[in-house]
Amino acid sequence: MSSVSYAADFGVTDYVRSESKNVDWLPAYHEVVCGSVKAGVASSSCAASTAYAQTSSTISLGSVSGSAYAFAGPTPGWGGTASAVDSYWWDTITITSASLATGTVVTVKGQIDMTASVVPSWPYPVPATRAQAQLNYIGPDCCNFVTVRSDQDYPTTGSFLAHVGSSYKIFGKYYIHTGTFAHNDFADLGSVDASARYFLWVDTPGAGYASASGMNYAPVPEPSSLAMLLVGMATVAATRLRRRITS
């Protein structure tokens, strides 16, 4: 992976890769290889004989989407392709509170909502087509606190303990990959199209956070949930009004 400086308080980086390879054994050994590794760009494509790979990605703070496509057609020898997106966004948050003392322990929660459409390639040597998203933090301590994958049933929420007045660097990681293998009359195709949204909030009453970017990653209530809340508040208000009138 290309070197990226995370010294800035917030930012994003894209790393996309597309590779394809065909080896023709007859009438004589002949190898055709195409490799393309690019950082900081939105797409990459590569073709070698009947093998083709293409990758694209879009990233912003708190949101990532991408696609990876790989095809290896029949070949007298063998062929293989690989496409991958490996992207990050990061931001620095400082835990704040008007009522809690500096150093008070609070709970920070994170959530990842990921949707993925996957056409799996032949699992050689391992299942090669998947999407994965993670939330990580770095402060006085560190590490991953939410992971979701398209091929496994992971919890979509997680948490870590933080302290009022302390700062933490939050990393949102996004990875999708597909790879193929073809031999003689056997062709292989794999693709994955996925997107992920990342949410972050302080779950301790009286505490919140300020981000270096000015972004608020707290989840927004669904319109239906918000409507139900407003109806409930209106009902309570009407009940109180009726009580005052009757009394």
Side-chain angles (χ1 to χ4, degrees), residues 1-16:
M1 181 174 175
S2 62
S3 59
V4 177
S5 172
Y6 300 110
D9 289 335
F10 62 92
V12 300
T13 182
D14 253 347
Y15 173 78
V16 297

Side-chain angles (χ1 to χ4, degrees), residues 198-220:
Y198 303 76
F199 302 99
L200 192 73
W201 68 98
V202 180
D203 201 42
T204 301
Y209 66 81
S211 69
S213 68
M215 289 281 292
N216 183 355
Y217 302 99
V220 178

Side-chain angles (χ1 to χ4, degrees), residues 117-138:
S117 176
V118 175
V119 177
S121 55
W122 185 48
Y124 175 83
V126 294
T129 305
R130 72 178 191 273
Q132 178 174 310
Q134 289 182 326
L135 270 171
N136 304 274
Y137 73 96
I138 298 177

Side-chain angles (χ1 to χ4, degrees), residues 23 47 62 70 79 91-92 97 102 129 137 141 148 154 178-179 206 215 218 236 238:
V23 175
D91 203 347
T92 304
S97 177
T102 298
T129 305
Y137 73 96
D141 54 2
V148 295
Y154 278 82
T178 185
M215 289 281 292
V236 171

Side-chain angles (χ1 to χ4, degrees), residues 40-131:
V41 298
S43 63
S44 176
S45 61
C46 175
S49 185
T50 59
Y52 178 73
Q54 184 175 17
T55 312
S56 65
S57 175
T58 302
I59 183 171
S60 61
L61 292 174
S63 178
V64 189
S65 63
S67 62
Y69 173 87
F71 171 76
T75 175
W78 61 271
T81 53
S83 293
V85 175
D86 195 356
S87 301
Y88 293 84
W89 64 267
W90 69 95
D91 203 347
T92 304
I93 65 169
T94 300
I95 307 301
T96 61
S97 177
S99 58
L100 301 177
T102 298
T104 300
V105 177
V106 300
T107 300
V108 179
K109 284 194 172 182
Q111 176 178 322
I112 301 175
D113 291 349
M114 185 175 73
T115 58
S117 176
V118 175
V119 177
S121 55
W122 185 48
Y124 175 83
V126 294
T129 305
R130 72 178 191 273

